[in-house]
Amino acid sequence: MLTTNDIRARFLRYFEEHGHQIVPSSSLIPHNDPTLLFTNAGMNQFKDCFLGNEKRSYVRAASSQKCVRAGGKHNDLENVGRTARHHTFFEMLGNFSFGDYFKKEAIALAWKFLTEDLGLDTAHLYVTVFEDDDEAAEIWHTQEGGTARAHLPFWRSGQLLVHGRYRPLRAMQ
């Protein structure tokens, strides 16, 4: 059985092999960002890159970012300790592109990491996309010559509880 350390190491190695610069976790207290009390997402340290305020020597990055959630948009403090998935401190694995690739390659990289590198059974994988993102839904259904389409499960109402503005993909006919 894979440990958390195994998964983290394999994730970072996989993305390094695919041209990503491995970037260490930034501080839990963000520097030079008065909008955040704590680092609450993996992309926080790259915020200025996405806003065009900073240019780095690389265009692809991967990290294992330590995060704290203590309120705000993702405020689920009332669930901490009541479920196995609600925590105030956690690590977020992430891969990022600064204008080098977008949805199609990001989806292909994710699919290959999960199914080939980790060898996860596709019967247990569920994909969600932002509610209005038909482009990403179409890519998931057609990428890799239809490989993902063949393995994405058919969705039934109530099969998965989806929070926020994300929707499960429905198998395309």
Side-chain angles (χ1 to χ4, degrees):
M1 175 176 238
L2 291 175
T3 67
T4 302
N5 288 334
D6 294 333
I7 294 169
R8 180 189 312 105
R10 287 174 73 167
F11 178 88
L12 294 172
R13 183 180 64 244
Y14 174 85
F15 282 99
E16 185 173 44
E17 290 169 355
H18 287 85
H20 292 70
Q21 173 71 38
I22 305 305
V23 179
S25 178
S26 62
S27 171
L28 285 174
I29 300 173
H31 300 286
N32 300 321
D33 188 346
T35 67
L36 294 172
L37 180 60
F38 297 112
T39 297
N40 65 353
M43 61 78 57
N44 287 166
Q45 67 177 306
F46 304 113
K47 184 175 172 181
D48 283 336
C49 296
F50 290 120
L51 293 173
N53 299 330
E54 178 185 347
K55 188 158 178 83
R56 299 206 178 176
S57 62
Y58 48 86
V59 293
R60 294 177 174 205
S63 67
S64 176
Q65 177 62 51
K66 293 172 181 69
C67 300
V68 171
R69 289 243 171 95
K73 182 173 99 174
H74 299 289
N75 188 357
D76 55 5
L77 291 178
E78 69 277 0
N79 294 316
V80 170
R82 294 184 183 183
T83 74
R85 64 183 186 89
H86 286 89
H87 306 282
T88 56
F89 175 77
F90 57 95
E91 275 183 292
M92 190 175 282
L93 298 174
N95 60 294
F96 307 91
S97 169
F98 312 116
D100 185 52
Y101 64 85
F102 197 47
K103 293 177 191 180
K104 187 172 184 177
E105 189 168 349
I107 288 169
L109 285 167
W111 185 255
K112 286 181 181 181
F113 174 69
L114 294 172
T115 62
E116 294 176 18
D117 194 79
L118 290 182
L120 296 181
D121 182 351
T122 59
H124 300 289
L125 296 179
Y126 293 84
V127 175
T128 62
V129 296
F130 186 73
E131 66 182 348
D132 298 326
D133 196 345
D134 294 331
E135 178 187 3
E138 181 62 23
I139 293 168
W140 272 109
H141 284 299
T142 60
Q143 62 115 7
E144 302 303 311
T147 302
R149 179 180 180 171
H151 293 286
L152 286 173
F154 284 87
W155 290 90
R156 295 192 178 106
S157 178
Q159 186 175 8
L160 177 71
L161 179 60
V162 178
H163 297 282
R165 298 183 61 177
Y166 292 84
R167 63 178 164 94
L169 287 180
R170 289 170 178 77
M172 298 174 69
Q173 303 300 329

